[in-house]
Every structure is written in C-alpha cells, then in structure tokens.
Amino acid sequence: MRFGACSLSTTTQLQAQVQTKSKKTLARPGVKNIVLVEGVRTPFLLSGTTYADLMPHDLARAALQGLLNRTNLPKDAVDYIIYGTVIQEVKTSNVAREAALGAGFSDKIPAHTVTMACISSNQAMTTGAGLIAAGQCDAIVAGGVEFMSDVPIRHSRKMRKTMLSLSRAKTLGQRLGLIGSIRLAHLTPELPAVAEFSTAETMGHSADRLAAAFGVSRLEQDEFALRSHTLAKKAQDDGLLQDVISFKVPGRDIVSKDNGIRPSSMEQLKKLKPAFIKPHGTVTAANSSFLTDGASAVLIMSEEKALAMGYKPKAYLRPTYGTPKALERAGLSMSDIDVFEFHEAFAGQIMANLKAMDSDWLPRHTWVGTPPMEKFNLWGGSLSLGHPFGATGCRLVTTVAHRLQKEGGQYGLVAACAAGGQGHAMVIEAYPQ
Amino acid sequence: MCCRFGDLYKECCDDDCNYVSFALIFLFTGNNFRTFSMAPALLARTHVNYEVKGDVAVVRINDPSSKVNTLSVQMQREMTEVMNEVWANNAVQSAVLISSKPGCFIAGADINMIQACNSPEEVTTLSQEGQKMFERIENSPKPVVAAINGSCLGGGLEFAIACQYRVATKSKKTVLGTPEVMLGLLPGAGGTQRLPKMLGLPSAFDMMLTGRNIRADKAKKMGLVDQLVDPLGPGLKSPEERTIDYLEEVAIECARGIVSKKIPLRKEKGRMQKIQDHIMSYGFVRNQIYKTVHGKVMKQSKGLYPAPLKIIEVISICNSSLCEANVTHFHGCFQNFGELAKTSESAALIGLYHGQVACKKNRFGTPQKEVKTLAILGAGLMGAGIAQVTVDKGVHTVLKDTAVAGLARGEQQVYKGLNDKTRKKNITSFQRDSILSNLTGQLDYRGFENADMVIEAVFEDINIKHAVLKEVEAVVSPHCIFASNTSALPIKDIAAASKRPDKVIGMHYFSPVDKMQLLEIISTDQTSKDTIASAVAVGLKQGKVIIVVGDGPGFYTTRCLAPMLAEAVRVLQEGVDPKKLDGLTTSFGFPVGAATLADEVGIDVAAHVAEDLGKAFGSRFGGGNVEVLKTMVDLGFKGRKSGKGCYVYQPGLKTKEVNPDIGDILEKYRITPNPAVSSDSDVQYRLVSRFVNEAVMCLQEGILNGPLEGDIGAVFGLGFPPCLGGPFRFVDSFGADKLVEKMRRFEAVYGNHFTPCQLLLDHANDSSKKFHK
C-alpha cells in the first residue's frame, strides 16, 4: 500500500494544465537561475564486489574528488556541501563532512547529511538549490552515497543494554553478575531493517502488490528490465555515460565502468522464481534493482556565479520538490518534455506508475498521459545501472543534463519515488549552448 | 464482572458489516467481460453462477438478498446444479469456488433455516443433504480450489475443507472457524470428520470446542489453508474489487497447477506431524485425549452445555480406526446435529445471537452530529477503559483527571491495552502509535469547547457528579452531550443540576470496559431522542452491544444484581463458605461465582449500591445484612482491587484462598438457616429467582424496552447463564408457574424478598403467555 502511494505520488507530480507548446525558457523575473555545472559519479558496482573493503565516505570522497578534477574548482570556492544517504554507517553519521574533509575541501565549509530514502540525493540537491535561491550561498556541492557491502549489524537490544550497564558497573561483582546474565538469545544480531518501519513491509513485497494492483504482468516486467539493461549496455558501449569517473580503489584495480549491466534474454528471465511473494508473485531478482555501492556528486551554482567563474553550465535546475505540480508550475505539458529520467526501483513499480498515469486512477483534469517510451530512460536506469539508494537522484539529474546536450532537447523531467510514500520531481532546462 | 462467553461471541458476529453496497455493484458488473461461455440457466439462478476461463470453471457465490452468503436451501440447490454442469462440461478440467462479496466467503449455514425445522429429523435431513454435496465435491474428479476472502465459518468452512485446495487472502476480514458450538450445535456437514484428519486431533478439538476465529496466516500454519494471497492496495480498481480479482487469478493458476501435477495435493508431513500421527494411531492414546478433553469441558461448562460433549463423542466415534468409512456413524453425526439443534440450550444461544445482532443496531436513527471529540472525566479503571475502546475508533479522545498520578496510571492503561494488541500482532507498533496520537491527557478543561460528548467516570457521589456537571457545562459548547457512567445513581437526580437536561444521559459501562461487551444506556423523560441516538452511535462505534433502558434506581442491570447479591450475603451469613457459594452459582451456569463477582465489582460498591437501592425500594431489597459489607469495607476488604475481599488475592497466584478474616465478621452476623429452604438447589433458586423476578419487574415497570434487551443485558453485563438465554427465556423454558411455586415457598420463610411480581404471576397463571414467541 505504502509503495503504491509513494509511486503514485510521484506520478501525480506530473499533473499539468494543457498548455500551448512554447519552447521559451522557464526563467522568471526576480527569481535566481540555478544551474547544474557538472555532475559525476563513481561507477555503480554490485555490492560485495570491488568496493567491498571501503567505507561509505571513501566512495563519497572519490565522487567529490572526481568532481573537483572535472571542474578544476578551487577547494574553497564552495559555500556548502550536502550529501544524501540511507543506511548510515554509525562511525560517519555526517558522511558529508567526513567525505568533504577527506577530499581536501576547506574545513570552513559546512557540510550536512540528509536522508529521505531513495530520493536522498534529490533532497540534497533541492536543499542546495534552496540555499542558493535564498541568497545564502552561490556554489553548492550536493551528492549522495550508498554502501551496501557493509551495513551496521547490531547486537540485540538485550545485549546492548547489558553492555551499557557493564560500562557503568563499578565493582567486579557487578560486572560478573552482568556477564553471567548473558544468554544465548542475547547474541542474536539485529540486521538493519529492509522493511519500512511504519508498515513493516519490504519494498520488494510492496512492489509486487503494487504491480498486481495495476495488473502488471510478469512478462511486462521482464520486458522492461531487459529494455533497461539493453539500453544501458548500448549507452555504456557508445560512451554516453560521461558522468562516470574512474576510481582507483585502494589495494585493487582502477574501476571505470558500472558492473551491474547484464542484458540477458527473455528465456533466462522467465526461469527466475519470484523473490518476495511466493509462489505466485511477479517481482524477481532480475526485474528489480540490485543492491549497489556508489556515490554521486553535482556542482550547483547560481547562474551569475557560474558565468563569473568561467563555467559553461549544463542545465537549469527547476526543483519543485514537494509540489505535486511539477509540470503545472513550470507551465509545461507532457509533450514539451524531451527527456524523461524516472527512477526504476522495480520494473513492476515503474510499469504500475506508467499504467496509473494512463488510467482513471488520477482525476481526469490532472490526466497528462504517459511519457513516450522513445524519450524514456534511454541510457538505462536503476534496474541496470544500479541503485545506490542515497546516490541515485544526482545520477538522474546529471543524466538528464547530458541527454539534453546530446539529444538537443530543451526540457527534461526527473521523477523518483521513495519508501514512506514520498516522491520527488524536477524539471530541468537545457542551458543554451 | 467477566463473561468469558461474551468474549467468544464477539468475533463471531463482527462480520455483519456493511456489505450491501458492494454486493449490489458486483451483481451488475461482475460478469460483463472475459466471458467465454455462460451457463445456460444463468438467468434463472440468483445465488450461484459460473463462467469458464479456459479450462477452469470459476464458480461465484453471491446471495443477493443478504450482506453475507449463507448455505440456504436455495444456495445449496443452485450449487448442486452448477457443480453438475461443471462436472458434465468436458472443456473444464478444474474449478475455483469464490465469493463475489468482498468481506464474506460463506458465513455459515442459514440459522433461520435450521430454526424453521420442526423436528430433529428434519434438521438431520438438512445436514445430510449438505454433507452429500460436500462429499461429491471431496470426491470430485476435477479438482476444486476454494478461494477464500472474508469470513469462512461453520458450513462455509466445512465446504472449503471438502475442496481439494484452499487459497485465502491475508486480509483482516478473512477468518476461518467453526462457531457452531457457540450456538449449541456441532459442525454438522463433515467438519467433525475432515478437520481431525486435516489438522490432527488437538487442533481440531481446539477449533470445534472454542469456536474461535482463526486468521489466515494462522490457518496456513495449521494446514487449514494451502496458500496465502496478499490483499492489494489502490490500483486500477478499488482495493476490495482488485483483491478478489487477484485471488481469483491466483486460484485459477493453482487449479491448473493441480491438474498438471505441478502442485501436489498431499503435502509432505513434517517430522513432528509424523510422530504425532504415529502416537495418535494408538487407540488408548486417543481415548486418553478424549478423556482429558472431556474433563476440561466438564470443568468449564459444568456439563450444562450439551454441544461440546456431543462434539467429543462424535469425533471419538468417527475417528476410531475400526469404524472408518462406516456409513452408520456418519448418520450418527447427523442425528446428533439434529438433536442438538432442538435443545433448549441451542435455542437459548441462538436467541442470544439474534439478540446481539439486534442490539448492534441504532433504533433511534442517525444523530444530527457525529461525535468526533469525546472527553472523559476521571482516568480511573472505568474512565481509562472507556478511552481505550474509543481512541482506536478514530475519535479524538480527551482523558481528564484531577491528579497527575491518576492521569499517568490511566494513560498507561490505554497504552498497555494497545501494546498488548501489538504483541498479539493484531495491530502494528506504528498503528499503536498513530492511534495513541488521538489521545490527549490533561488536568484542566482546556479544549473542552470542541468536545461533542463528555462522559464522566468520577466517584459515585451525587455532590461530586453535580460539581463536575456544572464545571463541564460552563466550558462546553451548547450541542455537547453530558453522559454519566454511574452504575446506580438515577440520571434525573444528576440532571437536576443541569441547565440543559435534554443533553444529559446515562452510559453505564461494565468493567473491564475493553472486555465486557455490554453498554447500558439510560434515558430520562427529559433526554432528547437525538441525545439517545448519539449515545447509541458512540457505543456502537466502541463495539458495544447496547440496551437502552428507562431511568430509576439501579436502572436495569444493577437493580437485578442487587437482590441477588443481598441473597448471597444472607447465604454467607447462614454459614455457607464463599467457595461453596461460588460453586453453587457456577454450577447453575454463571461464568463467575457470586462471591467472586462481589469481589470483582468491589465490596464498597456493592455496599453502596445495597444501601442506596435498599432506601429506594424498601424491604424487598433486604436479605443479607448490609453491615456485613460495611464492616468488610471498614477493614479494607474492598475486593480484588484492594487485594482482599471474600478471597485473598496475591499477584501472580492463580488460585485464591478464602479470606480468613471474614469468618469473624460472618460469625458476628450469623443467622441460623432454615433447613426447609437450604438445600443446594434451593440456595441456587433463591439467588436466581430474586434476579429473575427483579428483571421481570423492570419489564413490568417499563424500565426495559422488551424481554430481548433484558436477556442481552443480563447475559452480557452480569453473566447470567448463557445456556439459559437470559432471565426471560429462562422463565419461558423453566415455566413461570414452577418458578412462582418455588418463590412462594421461599416467601413463606423470608417474606417479601420473594414475592413474585404481577407480570410473573400473569405468566404463571396463563401458560400460553411467553416472553419470547
């Protein structure tokens, strides 16, 4: 249910009044233009592969350094650094700060970490854009990081309680008493919850129910997954994924490619058993996004600052987070959009979203139709490239900017859903070349 | 006052929700697409139809005239017709059986159909016919998959377990069970044979003897259903509609899987199951089980309920290895069913079932204003209990007390109630938290201007009641209703201090509020009809069974209880031990003995009530000496809440011993018993006849609206023996003349305590007069 609401709220953000097609700029008088100067990411790797021995801030650091290299940005020219992450490493709970310091940014630059499930880095960018719009900052680095190769596995609550009491125990007798109270049950570890706390439902389970609610068949999901992998492979082979930086992993090789792209065949996909709802579910390992390690970073500036520093911006950002009317507010209709980049957590979820947009589910007056597939996630998506929860948002935005440049379009639309029934949408306008 | 029976009962009847609108929609939209071939006789059939999807026949059940599907005569006839067509159709390989009603698969056999039968033989025939059809389904060459969403009870469950495979939704409304025992019946259509085979003896006994509802996930673990389907959220259709479609799709796949042998019908048994089966194969082990279960049932029911004993008997015959497949005993089962259906106990229990359904309706109509904010004064056991049953119904609940300590205790009680539900997995911790966010605890009257109703649960003292009434009226808005949770003070006395007596009403809850189902609503001559409608609406929302009675000292319930307790005190004074007194009352069918009941109610409350009502009704309410109770209160023996009363209560200890100190008190007030009226049976009838006489008098005086509400109030509020069906049904079945005869004998010894009232005399004089037709 939650997932349903979440994904659907994403789609409601596409509501728009029917507008005459005008390819004018969306700049409004009195409102600062915010531009995307550059966006990079580390290769997204299946968790447990080459990044296995790192820590989250190492990945974030790599993305930040990659951004610095690409832009030649002086390390003190940034006003603020914001990072998004989902599963937090307790040792680096403000991972933004740890990564920034480790990447050599001035310790005078404040940094904070945000978390909002799969749209954490979207929120990092939106927060940054807000700071620029409010006139507090001119240049922001936003990013996201997720590291699933290592997650905080805790002692049980009972054990933690005993250990905390132990640290307060004053006498040997008290200590021995506490140690003696430890039972086998105390030793059962606590894994980080994959399920949403409020609904106690895992995302995969939820996606399966969502797909069923919208009548998305297994075949449709598998076809979509195959499409995603095929397009990603092509984009990778054609060298379109310019946002990927090379990263020398300490003690290992240089990594410069995403390693989760595996175009397979429908026959292969058909063989898989459902991963969550057994035995009749439709969501499988192959039509879901996989556990991924990765980090991303973008440099966002006010237009005048970017131009003053001699940058050639890639795109205008028009974040409208929280408004269910991304298009309406931008005064655009679906046909004005040249590039769509939607987050694909599960094939079933994205297909259900598309069906919902094309159904009676939405009130008629807000009906905008579905994005045409020939403009949709053309360079692969989360299913194939990977989905490091906290880092995906920046990838989506950077990809839109790059696709607008490559394909010559003017407007792009980013949409993503997140656990907890939340969603995010952003309109991106190409910077005149 | 705790009535275990009522607890069991609650779940059984909750299924009667508002399904009508859905049912209608389905009737008209169910079959307008994807239909390959229609049954030729479709138009003639109203309850059962089918469509063939590929090689699977989807048989849909929908009783158009009711909120729930029942196995009525027509349903059975149409089902037989449809199944015959399915079996005859060569294109069909398998079948799916599904209900088109969102909250109900089949809720059971049609009770009215059973009641309409004139003789046990007629019921036997009915049961046999049902079983015949199930037997054909069980032996069907084409596998039949039952797709269960919503209640699957009684005959519905027996139908489902006759099918080859069961798929159920994990919806909250999906419950499986055999509630027959609660109606004084036994599962009469094969349940007694199939359930033990399917689940093993222990689980089968548990199901059939408790009649409890089993949720889908538990049913899967027990092996009662084979596969679960998640209910769906919003999508292309409404969640209810789409969930049924989804269930159907999955069930069709299962049916195909069974035909293609991809899904095995015989599941590999686990090691524990194998061991259990092996042990059970020994006759003496089974006999030992029957003996143990029989002993337990006898202990709990005192042998007053024939149904559970018959169930054990039937199971023991049907499962003895010698008689496997012996047709005569199948016949025996049906005969037993027929006999049970015509017992007075079954009539009493079915009467209660009907009464309960009637008392879950608002005969005063829809109130003008819905109560969205309810304020409760006093966070004691009662106040917090009322908060507990209100806050989880989406009503903003304000709990006000005068002291921080009292408020904290009350809020903790509400939290604990919800947390227990979380621990039992009835609700999630998130639901618990969001429910609790609807509760406001406070010490002042802040925000009372938003209250639509205020229920006071403060100390039982008219002056305190007047004080809070005035305080409340000074702060609330004009539409706000003031309800008093008093157990004995006349509402008109409380309303005397009110500026708007039309908004004053009595709402008498029973302790513990979250367990006791009864709510007694008391209206005065001045109470407006809309105020009553509003109070009933709130009570229904809280899940209560409601009786609405007239005003007077003790209203109905307290007034009936008081003379019985007065008699109980006299019995104690006559030298009967509290344990013996409890034994006499429980063996009559009361779930709680009289002495224990006094402790539960509180000796102080009992003393208070005895004194008040004694003043109001005069010597008729005499009997035991009130001083006995007063002395106990003075010594601090206030009942369970103070740890000592008739018994001593020690936390953690289940057994309780008689309070040794009351011996001296009773010795002091000792009366010599009259041997002519002191046999065990006489003592029982002394207690019961005073209760019953007072109940009849309440009807005579117009306190009661009718005998039905009188029965419900006595059983659900005071634990009057459910097997007797309530005081009025008891008079009908026992005979008013016989009761009057006994009372005259007691009257000769004790005087007007036992003088039968006029209405009872009328019934005694004319045997054609019955309270229940």
Side-chain angles (χ1 to χ4, degrees):
Chain A
M1 172 85 103
R2 258 316 166 93
F3 204 97
C6 131
S7 317
L8 289 162
S9 64
T10 314
T11 57
T12 50
Q13 280 151 9
L14 299 176
Q15 299 163 356
Q17 292 160 339
V18 179
Q19 292 270 328
T20 48
K21 188 162 181 167
S22 71
K23 291 253 171 180
K24 284 178 195 161
T25 174
L26 295 175
R28 278 183 294 164
V31 178
K32 253 188 207 175
N33 276 329
I34 297 160
V35 294
L36 174 78
V37 175
E38 185 58 273
V40 299
R41 62 180 176 93
T42 68
F44 286 176
L45 301 190
L46 297 161
S47 60
T49 57
T50 315
Y51 296 150
D53 298 325
L54 298 179
M55 282 179 70
H57 71 282
D58 293 327
L59 278 179
R61 210 156 43 95
L64 286 173
Q65 275 171 337
L67 188 70
L68 289 172
N69 290 343
R70 281 267 172 102
T71 56
N72 290 317
L73 183 74
K75 284 180 175 176
D76 53 358
V78 181
D79 300 314
Y80 210 105
I81 296 167
I82 309 166
Y83 250 77
T85 197
V86 179
I87 307 244
Q88 285 187 321
E89 162 62 51
V90 281
K91 285 182 185 163
T92 58
S93 61
N94 187 3
V95 69
R97 181 68 173 167
E98 308 303 340
L101 293 177
F105 281 94
S106 156
D107 61 4
K108 304 277 189 307
I109 304 170
H112 81 249
T113 303
V114 296
T115 186
M116 201 174 182
C118 303
I119 51 174
S120 296
S121 62
N122 305 58
Q123 183 51 31
M125 288 183 289
T126 316
T127 307
L131 287 170
I132 295 172
Q136 288 189 30
C137 302
D138 286 317
I140 299 272
V141 170
V145 60
E146 205 64 43
F147 189 68
M148 297 302 289
S149 289
D150 180 33
V151 290
I153 296 172
R154 300 195 293 181
H155 271 300
S156 69
R157 182 81 188 242
K158 279 179 189 161
M159 189 65 181
R160 290 184 338 247
K161 208 173 164 185
T162 313
M163 288 162 91
L164 287 171
S165 310
L166 207 55
S167 68
R168 282 191 295 266
K170 292 199 174 63
T171 66
L172 184 65
Q174 282 176 343
R175 282 193 200 110
L176 287 176
L178 281 165
I179 290 168
S181 74
I182 296 173
R183 298 280 170 274
L184 206 59
H186 285 56
L187 300 176
T188 320
E190 223 175 75
L191 296 168
V194 264
E196 235 176 36
F197 183 76
S198 54
T199 59
E201 187 174 26
T202 64
M203 285 295 108
H205 195 273
S206 176
D208 207 320
R209 283 173 55 236
L210 178 71
F214 282 93
V216 182
S217 70
R218 166 80 183 263
L219 186 73
E220 284 174 292
Q221 294 180 42
D222 285 352
E223 277 171 357
F224 188 89
L226 189 59
R227 172 190 188 270
S228 183
H229 279 276
T230 313
L231 290 174
K233 178 80 174 111
K234 189 167 183 308
Q236 193 178 50
D237 291 348
D238 294 352
L240 296 174
L241 306 178
Q242 315 146 31
D243 53 341
V244 179
I245 53 155
S246 291
F247 174 24
K248 167 69 181 75
V249 181
R252 307 243 193 160
D253 291 340
I254 293 177
V255 186
S256 49
K257 268 183 167 183
D258 303 325
N259 73 356
I261 307 174
R262 282 183 292 189
S264 169
S265 67
M266 285 304 287
E267 289 68 43
Q268 290 288 328
L269 294 183
K270 240 185 206 166
K271 281 183 193 160
L272 285 172
K273 287 196 171 152
F276 301 97
I277 295 185
K278 293 160 189 172
H280 54 268
T282 52
V283 172
T284 67
N287 61 36
S288 317
S289 54
F290 48 87
L291 292 181
T292 315
D293 299 337
S296 56
V298 293
L299 177 61
I300 305 171
M301 288 185 173
S302 63
E303 186 178 13
E304 58 262 43
K305 173 82 174 179
L307 295 177
M309 288 184 73
Y311 285 118
K312 170 82 181 147
K314 288 180 186 268
Y316 291 111
L317 297 185
R318 317 280 185 201
T320 49
Y321 165 75
T323 59
K325 291 170 184 172
L327 286 175
E328 187 185 344
R329 218 170 114 166
L332 295 175
S333 74
M334 193 64 101
S335 58
D336 293 322
I337 304 293
D338 304 302
V339 166
F340 292 89
E341 280 294 328
F342 280 29
H343 166 46
E344 345 168 306
F346 299 90
Q349 158 261 324
I350 194 82
M351 296 295 292
N353 295 163
L354 297 177
K355 286 204 178 191
M357 291 166 75
D358 199 20
S359 75
D360 290 339
W361 208 91
L362 298 173
R364 268 292 144 185
H365 66 276
T366 64
W367 191 80
V368 287
T370 40
M373 289 312 272
E374 64 273 16
K375 296 179 179 177
F376 191 83
N377 292 8
L378 287 188
W379 294 357
S382 299
L383 280 171
S384 45
L385 300 170
H387 172 37
F389 309 135
T392 291
C394 290
R395 177 186 69 73
L396 291 171
V397 168
T398 308
T399 306
V400 167
H402 286 163
R403 274 184 61 197
L404 285 171
Q405 284 185 337
K406 183 87 187 165
E407 295 165 14
Q410 190 176 1
Y411 298 117
L413 182 68
V414 163
C417 63
Q422 308 192 88
H424 176 271
M426 192 193 284
V427 172
I428 290 159
E429 184 183 351
Y431 200 83
Q433 299 193 358
Chain B
M1 283 183 269
C2 183
C3 170
R4 206 175 297 121
F5 172 79
D7 261 4
L8 287 178
Y9 226 83
K10 199 171 182 178
E11 295 167 20
C12 167
C13 301
D14 277 353
D15 298 306
D16 292 5
C17 302
N18 302 315
Y19 302 137
V20 174
S21 52
F22 288 119
L24 289 178
I25 292 167
F26 272 91
L27 257 188
F28 295 114
T29 62
N31 285 316
N32 51 7
F33 57 99
R34 291 182 302 184
T35 309
F36 300 124
S37 83
M38 290 289 239
L42 181 70
L43 289 179
R45 287 198 284 262
T46 52
H47 289 53
V48 185
N49 64 49
Y50 79 104
E51 81 176 274
V52 180
K53 290 188 166 181
D55 54 355
V56 183
V58 178
V59 180
R60 297 201 178 84
I61 321 163
N62 192 359
D63 182 345
S65 60
S66 169
K67 294 184 232 174
V68 293
N69 291 322
T70 48
L71 290 173
S72 58
V73 177
Q74 186 168 4
M75 180 78 81
Q76 296 196 20
R77 183 177 56 76
E78 291 188 17
M79 182 59 74
T80 312
E81 274 175 34
V82 164
M83 285 315 294
N84 282 337
E85 281 174 38
V86 167
W87 282 316
N89 188 339
N90 289 331
V92 172
Q93 300 287 318
S94 57
V96 166
L97 179 69
I98 192 166
S99 158
S100 306
K101 288 193 200 292
C104 176
F105 177 68
I106 300 173
D110 184 353
I111 297 178
N112 296 325
M113 169 179 84
I114 296 170
Q115 279 192 307
C117 294
N118 292 317
S119 66
E121 290 72 34
E122 223 172 298
V123 185
T124 305
T125 317
L126 260 182
S127 159
Q128 250 171 320
E129 265 166 30
Q131 167 64 2
K132 237 184 256 164
M133 178 170 71
F134 294 168
E135 221 168 306
R136 288 185 66 198
I137 299 233
E138 187 178 33
N139 300 323
S140 167
K142 302 175 181 180
V144 184
V145 175
I148 304 162
N149 179 47
S151 47
C152 173
L153 302 170
L157 181 84
E158 293 179 292
F159 198 167
I161 58 173
C163 296
Q164 278 71 23
Y165 201 79
R166 282 149 299 280
V167 186
T169 62
K170 264 191 257 177
S171 153
K172 268 200 163 163
K173 284 187 173 162
T174 302
V175 286
L176 299 94
T178 46
E180 286 90 344
V181 70
M182 292 193 281
L183 298 176
L185 304 169
L186 58 76
T192 47
Q193 292 109 55
R194 292 195 186 94
L195 277 177
K197 270 186 207 146
M198 208 167 170
L199 312 174
L201 269 185
S203 299
F205 267 133
D206 180 57
M207 269 187 85
M208 284 187 272
L209 294 178
T210 62
R212 68 193 170 91
N213 283 346
I214 294 163
R215 280 197 307 235
D217 43 356
K218 177 85 201 296
K220 171 79 167 48
K221 271 187 203 144
M222 289 167 64
L224 196 55
V225 301
D226 302 283
Q227 194 174 325
L228 294 179
V229 171
D230 286 278
L232 298 179
L236 292 178
K237 291 182 182 177
S238 77
E240 292 84 3
E241 258 183 285
R242 181 64 194 129
T243 299
I244 292 186
D245 287 357
Y246 183 48
L247 171 68
E248 184 179 305
E249 287 160 20
V250 173
I252 290 175
E253 279 316 302
C254 286
R256 295 204 173 113
I258 295 168
V259 171
S260 68
K261 306 259 192 274
K262 273 187 194 146
I263 298 175
L265 282 182
R266 288 274 158 265
K267 261 186 303 224
E268 195 56 41
K269 281 183 178 170
R271 182 170 299 171
M272 278 309 289
Q273 190 61 43
K274 275 184 192 159
I275 294 172
Q276 199 182 328
D277 285 357
H278 182 70
I279 296 170
M280 292 294 175
S281 65
Y282 294 104
F284 71 90
V285 175
R286 284 201 306 270
N287 286 337
Q288 192 55 41
I289 290 178
Y290 301 139
K291 234 163 104 186
T292 315
V293 174
H294 189 268
K296 266 191 188 165
V297 167
M298 282 305 287
K299 199 176 159 204
Q300 275 184 6
S301 72
K302 314 280 173 200
L304 294 167
Y305 295 82
L309 300 175
K310 276 276 183 228
I311 290 173
I312 299 171
E313 188 191 318
V314 168
I315 291 184
S316 69
I317 299 171
C318 293
N319 290 282
S320 64
S321 46
L322 284 174
C323 310
E324 197 102 33
N326 187 334
V327 186
T328 48
H329 349 13
F330 278 99
H331 193 71
C333 297
F334 307 134
Q335 247 173 7
N336 281 316
F337 182 76
E339 281 162 20
L340 278 180
K342 287 290 138 194
T343 56
S344 68
E345 288 84 358
S346 176
L349 293 172
I350 291 177
L352 286 176
Y353 172 79
H354 284 312
Q356 200 191 23
V357 171
C359 290
K360 286 217 173 221
K361 295 198 170 99
N362 194 344
R363 62 181 157 99
F364 297 90
T366 313
Q368 279 166 16
K369 206 166 181 317
E370 193 193 343
V371 173
K372 289 187 176 142
T373 299
L374 177 77
I376 298 157
L377 305 180
L381 216 56
M382 291 305 286
I386 298 167
Q388 208 176 324
V389 297
T390 312
V391 73
D392 60 347
K393 310 300 186 307
V395 178
H396 177 217
T397 309
V398 179
L399 189 58
K400 180 196 172 300
D401 205 292
T402 48
V404 179
L407 183 63
R409 196 217 63 83
E411 287 192 83
Q412 178 61 28
Q413 181 185 332
V414 179
Y415 173 80
K416 189 176 176 296
L418 288 169
N419 198 41
D420 286 349
K421 281 189 184 173
T422 309
R423 289 218 315 251
K424 285 183 199 152
K425 302 209 169 140
N426 287 336
I427 54 172
T428 64
S429 59
F430 173 74
Q431 283 170 317
R432 175 198 65 203
D433 297 345
S434 75
I435 289 169
L436 272 176
S437 70
N438 250 337
L439 179 75
T440 315
Q442 59 190 54
L443 298 170
D444 52 17
Y445 285 103
R446 193 166 26 92
F448 266 55
E449 64 274 12
N450 297 323
D452 302 304
M453 179 184 278
V454 175
I455 300 178
E456 67 79 15
V458 301
F459 192 70
E460 289 271 81
D461 179 300
I462 191 76
N463 296 321
I464 298 177
K465 304 265 187 201
H466 281 168
V468 297
L469 173 66
K470 282 178 187 152
E471 281 172 21
V472 166
E473 286 192 349
V475 290
V476 296
S477 59
H479 77 273
C480 180
I481 292 166
F482 182 89
S484 173
N485 174 47
T486 174
S487 56
L489 295 174
I491 303 302
K492 59 177 175 297
D493 294 357
I494 295 174
S498 171
K499 283 185 285 186
R500 32 172 203 229
D502 59 313
K503 297 280 183 199
V504 179
I505 195 165
M507 290 174 83
H508 178 202
Y509 291 87
F510 294 75
S511 181
V513 181
D514 59 323
K515 298 247 160 54
M516 295 294 286
Q517 286 186 74
L518 190 73
L519 168 63
E520 183 180 31
I521 290 178
I522 305 105
S523 64
T524 70
D525 301 340
Q526 288 172 295
T527 311
S528 75
K529 202 183 150 216
D530 187 61
T531 301
I532 307 176
S534 193
V536 174
V538 166
L540 289 178
K541 208 179 243 179
Q542 291 167 334
K544 296 293 167 196
V545 173
I546 295 167
I547 61 170
V548 181
V549 303
D551 194 21
F555 327 122
Y556 168 63
T557 50
T558 311
R559 184 171 158 184
C560 290
L561 188 62
M564 184 168 121
L565 282 183
E567 196 59 30
V569 172
R570 171 153 60 199
V571 171
L572 290 174
Q573 283 176 265
E574 287 178 353
V576 175
D577 176 77
K579 277 205 166 163
K580 164 95 178 172
L581 173 62
D582 274 357
L584 289 174
T585 20
T586 51
S587 65
F588 199 80
F590 282 89
V592 175
T596 308
L597 184 62
D599 275 0
E600 294 287 339
V601 173
I603 304 294
D604 52 338
V605 176
H608 214 80
V609 167
E611 210 171 16
D612 280 1
L613 296 191
K615 271 182 210 154
F617 293 106
S619 59
R620 186 158 58 83
F621 269 54
N625 193 336
V626 184
E627 290 305 316
V628 174
L629 297 174
K630 280 187 172 173
T631 317
M632 283 176 74
V633 175
D634 289 344
L635 290 171
F637 305 151
K638 292 183 185 173
R640 179 189 272 280
K641 60 190 167 193
S642 66
K644 273 183 184 180
C646 296
Y647 295 96
V648 181
Y649 297 89
Q650 279 167 318
L653 230 63
K654 272 200 170 168
T655 53
K656 50 183 196 270
E657 288 306 317
V658 174
N659 183 356
D661 298 330
I662 62 163
D664 298 341
I665 306 172
L666 292 174
E667 200 51 51
K668 192 175 153 196
Y669 295 100
R670 164 79 68 200
I671 324 173
T672 317
N674 182 330
V677 289
S678 295
S679 71
D680 283 359
S681 159
D682 280 341
V683 170
Q684 285 177 327
Y685 280 102
R686 274 162 55 191
L687 292 162
V688 172
S689 63
R690 289 190 71 177
F691 186 122
V692 171
N693 186 44
E694 206 57 41
V696 176
M697 202 182 283
C698 284
L699 182 63
Q700 176 184 311
E701 290 177 3
I703 296 277
L704 275 177
N705 172 56
L708 188 127
E709 292 200 0
D711 282 345
I712 292 294
V715 172
F716 288 95
L718 306 172
F720 192 89
C723 55
L724 301 177
F728 294 94
R729 195 172 289 276
F730 168 69
V731 173
D732 282 353
S733 60
F734 186 76
D737 47 347
K738 276 167 71 191
L739 187 65
V740 166
E741 186 195 312
K742 279 189 190 288
M743 289 183 76
R744 291 291 187 209
R745 200 153 54 77
F746 304 145
E747 190 186 20
V749 177
Y750 297 113
N752 68 345
H753 306 155
F754 288 96
T755 308
C757 68
Q758 190 54 48
L759 184 59
L760 190 57
L761 287 174
D762 292 348
H763 277 247
N765 294 334
D766 179 356
S767 63
S768 71
K769 279 195 170 171
K770 295 279 179 204
F771 291 113
H772 294 282
K773 293 289 167 278

